[in-house]
Amino acid sequence: MAVATNSAGRPVDLREPAGWRRTKNQIMTVLMWASFAVVLVPLAFVLVKVFAAGASAINWQFLTNSTIPPNVMPLGTGGMGPAVIGTLEITGFAALVAIPLGVLGAVYVNEYGGRGILGRLVAFMSDVMTGVPSIVMGLFIYTIWVLHFGYSGMAGSFALACLMLPVVIRSSFEMLRLVPDSLRQGSYALGATKARVTLTVVIPAAIGGIVSGALLAVARAAGETAPLLFTILTVEQTNSNLFSGPNTALSTQIFANATSPYVGAEARAWGAALTLIAIAFTLMIAARIVTARFTRYSR
Amino acid sequence: MEEQEEQVPVQVQQEQEIIPKLDIPDTAPREIPTGNPVFDVQNASMYYGDFRAVTDVSLTIYENEITAFIGPSGCGKTTVLRTLNRMNDLIVGARVEGDLRYRGASLYASDVSPTAVRRRIGMVFQKANPFPKSVYDNVAYGPRINGIRNKARLDEIVERSLKQAALWDEVKDRLNKSGLGLSGGQAQRLCIARTLAVEPDVVLMDEPCSALDPIATGRIEDLMHEIKSQYTIVIVTHNMQQATRVSDRTAFYSVLRDARSDTRTGVLVEYGPTAQIFGDPRDERTQAYVTGRMG
C-alpha cells in the first residue's frame, strides 16, 4: 500500500494526488501517441501502396534488362536496368564529389576558420544553399555545364552534389561541434599538431554521425527528379559511360512512366518507385551498421 | 603614536597563538638542496586579452621534484601551469609577458614550436579525458604521433607505461576495450599512462585527483612518488593535505582585488620547500591560507 506512517503515527498518503496534475499527464500522453500515429499514417500508406502496386512488377528481368520499353508496351517486356544503373552511377558520383568536399568544409568551419571571416562566410553560404530549390540547382548546372558540354550522367551528379553539399556540411559540422574540447586538449598535450588532432581524434570521434548524415543526404539525392530532368535528358538503353551522353535514372523514369496513360507504363512506374525505396532503405540500413561499427569505442 | 606602534607586535603575537599548527613533523627539512633547474620563471604575467590574470610570478622548478601550486580559486595556478607547456596558446587572446625558461631556453621565443614543447612537457587534466579509442590505442597514441609504427615496440611502450601508471594489472585483459569504459580513477591513470608513453621530461598535473575518491587519489599519489625519480612533476591542487603529502616544494598563489576596476589578478605570494610553506610561512596570507582561515 502506498500509505506510510509519520513519526506521530498518522498515515501519509504517497500516491499521486488526483485532479488537474493527473489529467494533464493523461492529455499529454494521448496527444503524444496521436502525433505518433499522424506521422505514421502517411509513411505506412506510401509503403503499403507502393509495395502493393509495385511488387508484381519486380523480378530479375525488370531490374536488369538493358532496354526500357516504349510506354505502350505491356509489363514483362524489357526492364528498368538502365535506370537502376543510372541512379547508382549518378548518385554514387555525386556522393564522391559532395561528401569529401562537405566534410572538409565542415572541418574547416569548426576546427580552423570558425571565428574568422571565411569560416563564417562558408557556414552562412551553406545555410543559404540549403534553401535553394532542387529545380534551380538543375537549371544552374544546365546553364553552366550542359549548355557547354552536353547532357551526361556527370552533369546530373553535379546537380545532386550541389543539393547534398549543404546537408553534408551542416550534419558534419553539428557532429564535429559535439566532440568535447577536452579530447582536443588531450591530444595537443601529447605534442600533436592541429592536423593530427583533427585527423586522429576529432574526426574519428565524430565519424559515426558524419557517415550517417552523409548517407542520409545520399538517400535523399537518389530520389531527386527535378535537377536530373535538365541535366541527363533520358535514354532507353544502358549508358554505362557516366561522363558523356544522355543517361537515365529511376526518378526520371517514374516521372515519365507515371504521366503516361498506358497500363504497362503505370505498372513500370510503381515498380521503379519500389526499387528506389528499396535502394534508399538499403542505404539507411548501411548507415546504421556503419555508425554502430565506428562508434564501438565511444561508450 | 608611540603607544600604537608598541601595540602592533602584541596583536600579531596574539593572533599567532590562536592559529592551529598544521601537522608537519618537526624533523621535516625546512631547506632542501636544489637540483638542476627545469623551469626558471622571472617576473612573468599572463593575460587573457586585456585582462591581466596573473602577475609577478618568479619561481624555479627543479629536476625530479614534485612542485605543488596551491591557492584559492581564481588565483591563476592553472594559468601558470598551462603556460609552462604552452597549452594556453590554444586560448584565443592568451599571452605571456616576462621571462620563462625551460632548461635554459626561452619557452616563448619566436622559433620555439609549441608542439615540440608539449612533446617534452606532458599534461594530465582535471577531468580524465581518455580518447574514444581502445585502452591500447589511447596509450599508443603519443608514440604513434611521434612516428613509432613498429608493433612490438608499441606493445612494449604500452605495457611499460601502463605498469608505471599502476594500471597494467587491471586492464591487461581488456586492452582492446574502450578507454571510456574505465572507472574515474582508472581513466585518470590511463591518461597518466598516455602522458608517460611519450617519455616526457616534465609532467604537469592540473588537479588530477579532484574528481576521485580517496582510494583512487591515494593510488595516484603513490604513483607520483614512484615516477618522481624519472620525471619532474608540477601539480595544481586544491587539497592542501595532498600538497603536504606529495610535494617537495610548494608555491602559494593568492588573489589581488582591485577595488577601483573590480578586477581580480592572481599573484605568486610565496614559494619554498613544502615543509617551510606549511610549517613556517613567511607571508601572513600564506599562513592564513594554510591554516584554513582564508578560502
Side-chain angles (χ1 to χ4, degrees), chain A residues 61-62 64-70 77-83 235-238 268:
Chain A
Q61 187 200 343
F62 181 82
T64 57
N65 191 289
S66 64
T67 307
I68 297 172
T77 53
M80 279 292 165
V235 285
E236 284 71 44
Q237 298 291 324
T238 300
R268 270 191 292 277

Side-chain angles (χ1 to χ4, degrees), chain A residues 57-125:
Chain A
I58 303 279
N59 53 41
W60 189 243
Q61 187 200 343
F62 181 82
L63 293 176
T64 57
N65 191 289
S66 64
T67 307
I68 297 172
N71 284 347
V72 291
M73 298 296 281
L75 198 64
T77 53
M80 279 292 165
V84 172
I85 289 171
T87 288
L88 293 178
E89 270 185 346
I90 292 165
T91 6
F93 190 69
L96 220 57
V97 173
I99 293 174
L101 205 58
V103 172
L104 288 175
V107 166
Y108 178 77
V109 171
N110 197 55
E111 304 294 321
Y112 285 83
R115 276 172 283 277
I117 300 269
L118 192 54
R120 278 187 297 189
L121 191 71
V122 171
F124 177 69
M125 286 303 170

Side-chain angles (χ1 to χ4, degrees), chain B residues 145-217:
Chain B
I145 62 175
N146 285 322
I148 298 173
R149 288 277 175 274
N150 184 317
K151 177 83 172 105
R153 178 100 183 79
L154 282 175
D155 286 350
E156 185 190 311
I157 292 173
V158 168
E159 182 171 343
R160 174 184 56 79
S161 309
L162 286 170
K163 277 181 175 161
Q164 273 188 325
L167 189 61
W168 174 253
D169 291 331
E170 290 161 64
V171 300
K172 63 174 184 246
D173 299 323
R174 47 172 177 158
L175 291 175
N176 291 318
K177 295 271 165 56
S178 170
L180 300 186
L182 301 181
S183 73
Q186 288 175 329
Q188 192 59 291
R189 275 178 286 148
L190 178 65
C191 293
I192 294 174
R194 187 174 72 187
T195 305
L196 299 183
V198 295
E199 296 184 54
D201 180 30
V202 183
V203 179
L204 307 177
M205 296 180 153
D206 185 4
E207 297 183 43
C209 304
S210 65
L212 304 181
D213 70 11
I215 295 168
T217 301

Side-chain angles (χ1 to χ4, degrees), chain A residues 182-267:
Chain A
S182 64
L183 293 184
R184 292 185 185 90
Q185 301 247 339
S187 180
Y188 277 123
L190 292 166
T193 57
K194 188 158 199 161
R196 276 282 188 165
V197 173
T198 307
L199 282 175
T200 58
V201 171
V202 180
I203 292 182
I207 192 75
I210 291 176
V211 168
S212 71
L215 284 183
L216 288 178
V218 172
R220 276 228 76 87
E224 281 293 346
T225 315
L228 295 184
L229 292 174
F230 294 102
T231 49
I232 64 172
L233 209 60
T234 191
V235 285
E236 284 71 44
Q237 298 291 324
T238 300
N239 176 5
S240 53
N241 185 354
L242 182 69
F243 303 103
S244 87
N247 214 313
T248 189
L250 283 167
S251 54
T252 54
Q253 285 301 329
I254 295 169
F255 177 69
N257 280 285
T259 49
S260 84
Y262 305 103
V263 181
E266 223 171 80

Side-chain angles (χ1 to χ4, degrees), chain A residues 182 185 187-189 191 200 297, chain B residues 82 118-119 129 133 141 178:
Chain A
S182 64
Q185 301 247 339
S187 180
Y188 277 123
T200 58
Y297 284 128
Chain B
R82 291 170 60 97
R118 294 183 202 127
R119 280 180 199 197
N129 55 351
K133 300 173 188 289
Y141 183 86
S178 170

Side-chain angles (χ1 to χ4, degrees), chain B residues 223-242:
Chain B
L223 125 78
M224 287 169 69
H225 280 298
E226 269 157 38
I227 64 175
K228 193 178 123 177
S229 59
Q230 296 167 57
Y231 303 96
T232 303
I233 299 173
V234 185
I235 178 173
V236 166
T237 178
H238 266 296
N239 181 334
M240 282 184 279
Q241 277 72 36
Q242 182 170 54

Side-chain angles (χ1 to χ4, degrees), chain B residues 1-117:
Chain B
M1 285 297 284
E2 273 186 16
E3 280 180 10
Q4 280 182 338
E5 273 179 357
E6 278 173 6
Q7 277 176 351
V8 172
V10 176
Q11 276 183 341
V12 170
Q13 220 166 10
Q14 279 177 340
E15 255 189 4
Q16 276 174 343
E17 278 167 7
I18 304 166
I19 293 168
K21 283 283 178 199
L22 223 81
D23 189 21
I24 301 284
D26 289 337
T27 53
R30 299 284 155 95
E31 295 297 332
I32 52 178
T34 54
N36 296 325
V38 175
F39 289 106
D40 190 12
V41 180
Q42 293 302 328
N43 299 318
S45 300
M46 292 87 185
Y47 296 81
Y48 293 112
D50 292 332
F51 170 64
R52 191 170 63 172
V54 194
T55 187
D56 289 342
V57 179
S58 295
L59 50 75
T60 306
I61 290 166
Y62 298 98
E63 201 170 47
N64 299 342
E65 281 189 4
I66 299 178
T67 306
F69 287 1
I70 61 167
S73 297
C75 69
K77 331 178 269 298
T78 298
T79 300
V80 175
L81 190 78
R82 291 170 60 97
T83 52
L84 293 181
N85 73 340
R86 297 196 58 170
M87 283 299 282
N88 259 17
D89 289 23
L90 301 174
I91 297 170
V92 178
R95 67 197 164 83
V96 181
E97 278 174 12
D99 190 28
L100 288 93
R101 290 184 173 275
Y102 164 70
R103 293 200 182 270
S106 176
L107 262 181
Y108 284 82
S110 58
D111 57 347
V112 168
S113 149
T115 53
V117 168

